[in-house]
Amino acid sequence: MATLGEAKNTIEVLNKYHFIFQKRFGQNFLIDTHVLEKIIRAAEISGEDMVLEIGPGIGTMTQYLCENAREVIAVEIDKNLIPILTEDTLRGYNNVTVINEDILKLDLNRLVQEKNGGRPIKVVANLPYYITTPIIMGLLEKHVPLQNITVMVQREVAERMQAGPGGKDYGALSLAVQYYAEPYLAAVVPPHCFMPRPNVGSAVIRLTLHQKPPVQAENEEFLFRLIRAAFNQRRKTLVNAVSGMDGAEACEKDTANTGKRSNRRRAAERTVESVDEPDNRERAAEDAGKCGRSTISREAVQEALKQMGLSSTVRGEALSLEEFARLADLLSCAEKKNAGSTSAEAAAEH
Ligand code: SAM
């Protein structure tokens, strides 16, 4: 029976093993049965499901998962927690596998293939907050077969994931998450539901994967770079933020010629890094330099916005995912036309 949701039982286990919380692993264990039940409900766990739990801690939520799902795989980085899980708190369950690994290093596509014949699984976690974004975007971008992801994250991050155009929370993370999934804020969770208490508020968010993306951009890699450029400098108008970035064609050619890791993947990963960090701005510029054969002109952005019926002073935060996809298509198209006329001019000169 699941017992660890009660604070006194958690304390008993921690004392028994002289467990010391590791701040570097983002360890804040859940001690609230209502919240645990809410997570299981939000994830819509049934006896058919295979569930991946990221960071089981001492196994509090794992016990609930084992009692509700067909099978559970729990991936925990902290080796000190493994004997607690396998020899004590999860000993009574025969439908759980504990893996002592860094979730960011695991080949999850392979794991799902091996454990579930490649059929979609569910992910449930009280995430370590220091790596929330890489974990979620890794799952989405690597196209791990998933039905949904139900996770406890910082409240602020949950709000950014589900934000729509116009608000202060809306940005590259909102657009990247919503490209892959539909977010639903299932619960707001105060600090006293954890041990030790985190300094920030938390929330449970469920991301239900789209069968296919809600927008169809001709060049997905370019769409993600455009979004990143638009939010790199939030205060700038879209025309100022986007003009000068390298075009769709340039990077496509670059990838084809060098055979290097797809620029699409790199661009999508960086879309959701904290784009306001100066470091990332430098790297974005560096990327543009590397690809740099064709760049987006101010006129092209102005013309595209005009075609979309948008003001030339509009900022990125006003555009929906659909509008970003349309803008990306118009800019790629303008670039192709431009390249066509440049080669025609060159031919005429000969
Ligand atoms: N699920 C437990 C609970 O709710 O009580 C613990 C949640 S705690 C916020 C995060 C857990 O993730 C910790 O057990 C931590 O050791 C683990 N963790 C941190 N980084 C990890 C990583 N890279 N891979 C796997 N587990 C990780």
Side-chain angles (χ1 to χ4, degrees), residues 25-30 53 55-57 76-77 102-103 126 130:
F25 290 146
Q27 293 177 337
N28 299 94
F29 297 168
L30 263 168
E53 188 191 6
E76 174 55 62
I77 197 169
D102 179 344
I103 191 69
N126 169 16
Y130 75 107

Side-chain angles (χ1 to χ4, degrees), residues 24-30 36 53-62 75-78 81 101-104 125-131 135:
R24 71 193 164 115
F25 290 146
Q27 293 177 337
N28 299 94
F29 297 168
L30 263 168
L36 287 153
E53 188 191 6
I54 300 165
I58 59 168
T60 310
M61 188 145 62
T62 329
V75 178
E76 174 55 62
I77 197 169
D78 185 350
L81 289 166
E101 241 316 345
D102 179 344
I103 191 69
L104 296 176
N126 169 16
L127 284 179
Y129 293 171
Y130 75 107
I131 45 169
I135 290 177

